[in-house]
Amino acid sequence: MTTFEPEIVALCCNWCSYAGADLAGVSRIQYPPNVRILRVMCSGRVEVGHIIRALEMGADGVLVTGCHPGDCHYISGNEQAEKAIAATKEILTVLGMEDRLSLEWISAAEGQRFGQVMTDFVERIRALGPNPMKEAKVSRGNPGDVPGRLEDLVDRTGVMYCLECGKCEATCPITRMEIAYSPMLIVEEALRDLPEELEADKGLWNCITCGLCSHRCPSGVDFLEFVRQAREVETSSCDRCAHGGVFHALAGIMANEAVSQPGRLDWVEDGMEVAEKGELLYFTGCLPYFEPVLWDVDVHPAGALGSTVRVMNHAGIVPVVMADERCCGHDLVWSGQSGTAFAELARLNVEAIKATGARRVVFTCPEGLRTFAKDYPRVLGEDAIDFELLHITQLFAELIEEGRLELPEGTDEAVPLTIQDPCRLGRHMGIVDAPRKVLDSLPGYELREMEHHGLNAHCCGTSSWLNCGTFSKRIQVERMTQAEDAGADLLVTACPKCFSHFNCTLNEPGSDDTPPKPAVEIVDISVLLSKTLGLEGGGDR
Amino acid sequence: MRHDEEPRIGVFVCHCGSNIGGWLDVPAVAEYAGTLPYVVHSEDNLYTCAEDGLAAIRKAIKEQDLNRVIVASCTPRTHEPLFQATCEEAGLNRYLFEFVNIRDQCSWIHMSEWDAATEKAKELVRMGVAKATRLVPLDRSTAPVELVAMVLGGGITGMTAARAIANSGFEVYLVERRSVLGGLLNRLHKIWPTEESPRQLLDGLEADLEANERVHILTGTEMVDLKGFVGNFDVTLMPVEGNGDGLDLKVGTIIVATGADEMKPDGLYGYGEVEGVVTELELETMLREGNLPEIGNAVFIQCTGARGQRVTYCSRVCCMTGIKNAMELRELYPEASINVLYRDIMAYGISYEELYQRARVKGVGFIRHPKEEPPRVETGPDGKVRVTYRDVILGRDIVQDVDLVVLSTPLVQHEDAKELAQMLRVPLGQDRFFFEAHVKLRPIDFASDGIFLAGTAHGPKDIEESIVQALGAASRSLTFLKAGQVLSEPIVAVVDEDSCIGCGNCIEVCPYGAIELKEGGKRGQVAEVNPGLCKGCGTCPGACPSSSIQQLGFTDEQILAMITALANGGD
Ligand code: SF4
Ligand code: SF4
Ligand code: SF4
Ligand code: SF4
Ligand code: SF4
C-alpha cells in the first residue's frame, strides 16, 4: 500500500505571504514538500472558480494566503479574498469538502509561521485522506459519442428542411439586438459545412436556446437540438460560462459517485417535514448551491426551497428529499460539456430516485424537468424514467384544484402581477397553464399578461449559466419593462434561474448614469404562494 | 506578432552553486523540462544569474528562436528584473519571461528529501511552462516622479538623509512629531568614540538643514494619511497638538527614519519601585544636566529586558552604552567602585573592543552571571540599593549595597508603529521593527517601491550605522528622483468591451477607484480601467460575473492552466 501524499495548491499573494515563503526558504525552515505555490499579486485575485476547479481536478487541498487584515499591499484586496473564500467554503460545506480549503494571513516577516501553516495544513489534509475527485471516473468535456462532423449533425436534426423563410430570425431576441446574428444563417453555415464560420461569428454561442425560432419554424427545424449538438461538436471549454464556470465545475464534481454531499439538506429547517422514502419526491436541483455561487451579484433565490416544502406540508404532503441528489446536468448539456459526466449524472439521479420508491418527482427548476424528460431518455434509454415528472406549478395547481390548500379570503384591492414563462417550462415542455392556474386562484392578486406570454413569451435572457452578456442584460431590462408596461407590480417567476437573472439586473450597482431600472419586484411563485397561505412567518411579502 | 506564433519555450534550471544543486537533481529537472509541451530548449546552469548564465539565455533566444523564457531558480522578488532585462537585450519582450522558484520553495526547505524535492521542482516547472505558453507581450508605461522626497523622523538618521537629498538638488520635507529635531540624541550625554557632546553633531546638521532652502522642516507634525504609489504619493500631514491646519503634499519617495525608544523595564530589577534604579538614558540625562548625586559605588545590569527577557533580540548598542557610561562614572568619581553585571559582552568591531579594553584598564569591574540566575535588586539600608548577584567565578552570591543601579535596556519599536506601518503598507518584523524587502539583496528598500528604511526604525543601530544607512536610503531615493520617471508594471486590468455587461460590480471592489462605467458597449455602458490608477491587484476579475475583466499577467486562463498542469501531470 502506498501512503497518501496530499497534493496541495497554495495561492500566495506577492507582497506578504509569498515573501513569507521566501523568508522561510532563506531561513531554511523545513516543511513538507506537498505544497505547490502559485503566485498572485493579491489574495483578492483568487476566485471561487479557481478553487472549485482545483478541487475538481483532484487537488487534495487549497490554501489561500494573504496579508494580515489591515496590512494588504492593495488596501483592501484581502477583504475581498475573505468574502470569496467564505462563499467558497459555503459551497464546499454542501460537498463536505470545506476542510480542504483554508485562508491564512502570513506576513513577509513570518517565515517561521509560513512553514508552520504549511506543515499544519498538510497534516490536516493527510488526516482527511485523498480528495474523492482524485480517482474521478467521469469528467465533463466533449462527449465521446458525438461524431465530429457537421454533416451528420445536419442529418440528425433535420435542418436541411429549412425553407430559408427567415421567420426564425424575425422572432429571435438576439437577432433583434445583433443583426449579424441569425439562426437561419447558422443553419446555412452548417448546411455548407463551414464549422470555422460557425465558431467565428460566435453564432452558436450567442443563442440563448430560448426556442422561439423552433416554435415559429413552419418546417419543423429543431434548431434547439441543432445548437445543443453543434456545441458538443465544437468545443468543450467553459470560456462562456458565467460565474467563473463554477456551476459547470460543480456538475463535473457531482457526477462522480465517490463524491457525497453531506451538506445538501442543510436548508431543511426545524418544523419542515421531509422523508427519505415516499410517494412524492422534491428534486431541488442545484438550488442549494445558488447563493454562495452568486455571492457576487447579491441575489437570494434559495428561499424557494423552504417555501415549497412548507406549502407541501400544508397540503399534507411529506416530500422525499435526497441528500445524494446530484445536479441534473442541464448546464453541461447546453454548454457542449456533457463528456462522460452527463450520462453518469443521469444514472446516479435516476437510481437514487428509484431507491426512494417515489412515483412522482417534482421540480422547482424547469431546466431539471426538461433534462429529465428529454435528455435522460436519450442517454439512459427510452423507458428509463418510469416515474411521473412534474413542475412545482403543476403540483400546486393540482392541490388548489383538489382544495387541499386553504387559501384565505381575498381583499378588495388586488396587487397586479404578471408571470414570466420560463423557456424550459413553456416552449421546451409546453407547460403554460399551470402557473396561471396557481396565480388566478391567489386572493389579493390580479394576473395581467405581458405582451409576449405563454408559448410566445420572451425568455429571461440567460440559460445554462452560459453567455451572460450584454444581450442577456438588455433582454432582462426589456422583459421587466414589459412587466411594468403590463401594469404589474410583481413579476412572478417559476424558475430559480429567471429569478436570479432578473434580480441580478435589478440589483447591479451600475453608476450614476445607469438608467433607472423597471419598477417591478421579482418574486418566486412558491414563495408567493407560501406567503399567501401565511406560512412564511414574519417579513413582508 | 511573435506571440501569435506557436510557443517556443526555453527553460534554464539553476544550480545556484550548491544552493539548489546540492539538494535536488537539477539536471533531471532540466531534462524533464525538455519533455514538456512547447519546450524546445532546456539546460542547467551553475549560476543562471551570473554573466555566463545570462549569456546562455541570450544565446538560446537567438539560436533557438525562443519566444518564451523560464528560469527555475530563486525568487522573482529579487531576480525577476535581471532576467527580464536579459530577455529584452535579446529582443524578447520582458513579459514573455516566467519565473519558477525552486530554491526558496524547494531546495532550501526540503533539505533531507532529495527525491520529493526533485519531483516538486519538476511540477513547479510544469506549472511554469503552462503559464509561459499563455504569456503575451506587454508594454510598460512611464509616469513622472514628483521631484520631492519626504523623510519621516527628524533624528540623526532623518536629518542626515534629508540633508543628503537636499544637497543633491531636490526638495525634501523633514517631518518630526516632537517639537524638536534630534531624536534620541537629545538625551545622550556624550557620544563615542569622539567623546563630543551630541549637540555638536546635531547643531551642525541643523544649521545645514536650515540654511538649505530646499529643506522644509516640519516639527510637531505627523503623517495621518498616505495614498498613491512610487513617484506619486499623496501625503496628509497634521500638527500633533491642537487642531491646526493639515498639509497635503505630493512626494515621489519616502524615507522611514522614525527611530526607536528605550525600553522602560517596569518591574525588572526594581525599576519603578526601588529608588536609585535608572535606565541608561535616564543616567545620561542626569550626566548631561549635572544633577547626578555623589556616587560611591554603582552597578550596571546589562541585557535588561533583552535576549529573551522581554524581547528576544540583542539590542546591539546597550553593551557599548553601559561600558561608555561606566567609564564616565569612573572618570567623575575615580574612587567609586563600578561593576557591570553581564551575560555576554557584545563589543563588536575594532573601536568597541578597544573601548571595552579601556574600561577594564580604567578599573570598571565586569562580572558575569548565568542567564538563569539574574541579579536581584531591592531597597537596601540607608537609602542604598541592595544588589545580590551570582559570581560564577567565585561560585557564590555577592551582596552589594550601591548608590545607583543602571539598567541597560534595549531599543524597542514605538508603541504605535503598527499604525504607521499600515499607512505605509509595509511590514513589521517579528520584533516589531520595520522589515526590509530582503535581508541581503535589498536591505534598505521596502518591498513597495519608493519607500526606504533607515536607522533604528529598522532595528537597533549605533549612530555610525544609522548615518550610513541614512545615506544609503537617501541615495536609493535619489535613484528615483534623478530618473524623474517610473516605469509602471503593465499587469493591469483590461476589459473585454464586447462581453462586459456594465453591471458595475468591479467598480465596487476596486481599492483604487480605477474603474468607471463609460458610455459604449452593446448595452450603453461599459467598464473602463484607468491604467494609471490601476495598481494591478487583480481583485476586480473576481467580482465580474461574466469574466469580462482580466488582469494581464494573471488571467483566469493562465491561473487555471497552472492548476490544470499540476493536476494533470502535464497534458
Ligand atoms: S433559440 Fe432563441 S436565441 Fe437561439 S436562435 Fe432561436 S430564437 Fe434565437
Ligand atoms: S444574469 Fe444570471 S447569469 Fe448573468 S450574472 Fe446575473 S445571475 Fe449570473
Ligand atoms: S541567486 Fe538565483 S539565479 Fe542566481 S545562482 Fe542563485 S538561484 Fe540562480
Ligand atoms: S486590478 Fe485592482 S486596481 Fe486594477 S482595476 Fe482591478 S481592482 Fe482596481
Ligand atoms: S463586473 Fe464585469 S461585466 Fe460588470 S461592469 Fe465590470 S467588467 Fe463589466
Side-chain angles (χ1 to χ4, degrees), chain A residues 22 30 36 474 508 510 514, chain B residues 75 111 123 503 522-523:
Chain A
D22 278 353
Q30 306 295 299
R36 310 284 178 266
R474 281 166 63 187
E508 64 188 6
T514 307
Chain B
T75 171
M111 296 177 120
E123 291 195 5
C503 65
K522 290 180 182 152
R523 191 188 169 196

Side-chain angles (χ1 to χ4, degrees), chain B residues 190-306:
Chain B
K190 277 184 188 168
I191 55 180
W192 175 259
T194 53
E195 299 195 50
E196 60 183 359
S197 153
R199 233 16 293 163
Q200 276 172 275
L201 188 61
L202 292 177
D203 287 347
L205 255 174
E206 219 170 320
D208 285 354
L209 292 172
E210 267 159 20
N212 194 325
E213 58 185 14
R214 286 186 289 271
V215 179
H216 310 277
I217 300 173
L218 300 168
T219 48
T221 304
E222 63 185 347
M223 181 171 77
V224 294
D225 192 29
L226 175 70
K227 291 199 177 70
F229 266 74
V230 56
N232 279 291
F233 292 106
D234 292 302
V235 185
T236 308
L237 302 172
M238 289 296 267
V240 175
E241 270 170 43
N243 30 18
D245 286 343
L247 175 64
D248 290 330
L249 290 183
K250 265 199 170 302
V251 303
T253 61
I254 297 173
I255 292 175
V256 179
T258 46
D261 276 335
E262 180 194 48
M263 177 194 277
K264 291 279 173 249
D266 291 319
L268 287 177
Y269 305 123
Y271 184 79
E273 291 149 17
V274 177
E275 187 85 7
V277 179
V278 298
T279 66
E280 293 285 359
L281 275 186
E282 287 162 355
L283 170 64
E284 298 224 18
T285 304
M286 289 190 270
L287 286 167
R288 208 180 58 244
E289 289 171 0
N291 53 11
L292 190 70
E294 188 65 26
I295 302 283
N297 49 8
V299 158
F300 285 74
I301 303 179
Q302 298 305 115
C303 295
T304 298

Side-chain angles (χ1 to χ4, degrees), chain B residues 314-385:
Chain B
C314 161
S315 172
R316 201 173 165 88
V317 295
C318 12
C319 276
M320 304 333 302
T321 312
I323 295 169
K324 176 188 78 175
N325 286 333
M327 247 167 43
E328 184 71 20
L329 289 188
R330 276 293 286 189
E331 258 159 41
L332 281 173
Y333 311 102
E335 299 309 309
S337 132
I338 310 290
N339 286 324
V340 177
L341 309 182
Y342 71 97
R343 278 164 55 194
D344 301 287
I345 289 289
M346 311 277 189
Y348 63 98
I350 298 167
S351 75
Y352 288 146
E353 184 63 23
E354 190 198 311
L355 176 71
Y356 179 33
Q357 294 305 335
R358 195 146 30 121
R360 288 178 162 264
V361 170
K362 287 207 168 165
V364 175
F366 285 88
I367 300 158
R368 180 165 195 180
H369 64 84
K371 181 184 179 189
E372 303 71 39
E373 292 171 84
R376 294 186 299 282
V377 176
E378 59 211 331
T379 309
D382 315 321
K384 294 240 177 190
V385 189

Side-chain angles (χ1 to χ4, degrees), chain A residues 417-419 435-442 447 492 525 528:
Chain A
L417 52 70
T418 187
I419 173 80
R436 291 182 170 73
K437 276 194 189 140
V438 176
L439 295 181
D440 274 337
S441 63
L442 289 192
L447 177 63
V492 181
I525 195 159
L528 182 68

